[in-house]
Amino acid sequence: MILAIDTSGPYPVVALAADDGSLAFGARGQHERAHAEELAPLIRAAMAVGGLSGVAVGRGPGAFTGLRVGLVSARTLGWAMSLPVVGLCSLDVVAQQAGLTDGWVVTDARRGELYLAHYGEGRRLAPPQVLPRPAAAALTRGQAVCGDSGLLVDTDRRSRGTTVLDPDALGAVALRAAAALPPELPEPEYLRRPDVTMSPANRGR
């Protein structure tokens, strides 16, 4: 079974996918931005269900801190249990749960920006990107869009997306990621610098 972890969004999501495609375990956290506190108990609950053959972890795009929690947890687990660890694109999970074949996945990147990925015939056509909302709206106009599509027309840059990953979809994408050749590396897809940076006065100390 493949243990799937994703911390790209506001809640940590964990799934345990069996080789036959069924979901042996699926759950997500209860509190926004509590990845560090809620991820470990979810992983322990999943591991109590059955043995693992590998780990798949969401690469994002997403916030720096959230992604780091998931990626470090996956790598540590893989090292401790001598399991292969592969990466997956978190936007692929949104496409899976929406049943998107052709069109765009859009999710909130905050600061008036959106993460986007283009899909055709059921596969992602290019790496994800991040764009200001007006540019994202122009790029996707007239095409099918899933995820935080409402933000394409919302002019308030403080508005936030509501898309949360579904454990069933995460498990399905994790199985594909584990079977891919070559597999995606478990490296973060930040797409931009962290929201918090060190002040010039503190650099070099």
Side-chain angles (χ1 to χ4, degrees), residues 7-35:
T7 53
S8 63
Y11 305 96
V13 184
V14 172
L16 187 63
D19 295 340
D20 63 2
S22 63
L23 190 72
F25 175 88
R28 56 179 168 239
Q30 301 297 313
H31 302 93
E32 287 195 31
R33 309 297 167 188
H35 302 89

Side-chain angles (χ1 to χ4, degrees), residues 115-127:
Y115 297 124
L116 303 93
H118 193 200
Y119 294 79
E121 298 183 353
R123 62 185 183 88
R124 184 162 31 88
L125 302 177

Side-chain angles (χ1 to χ4, degrees), residues 17-115:
D19 295 340
D20 63 2
S22 63
L23 190 72
F25 175 88
R28 56 179 168 239
Q30 301 297 313
H31 302 93
E32 287 195 31
R33 309 297 167 188
H35 302 89
E37 298 83 1
E38 296 191 333
L39 181 59
L42 294 177
I43 292 175
R44 286 196 296 269
M47 292 177 63
V49 175
L52 307 181
S53 59
V55 181
V57 60
R59 302 174 56 240
F64 178 85
T65 302
L67 283 183
R68 185 170 55 183
V69 170
L71 287 160
V72 169
S73 297
R75 290 170 180 165
T76 302
L77 185 62
W79 173 81
M81 299 184 67
S82 298
L83 296 172
V85 181
V86 301
L88 62 86
C89 176
S90 303
L91 299 187
D92 289 355
V93 182
V94 180
Q96 173 75 24
Q97 67 193 50
L100 180 72
T101 302
D102 300 282
W104 293 83
V105 168
V106 174
T107 59
D108 184 17
R110 297 183 172 252
R111 298 193 297 190
E113 296 179 325
L114 295 170
Y115 297 124

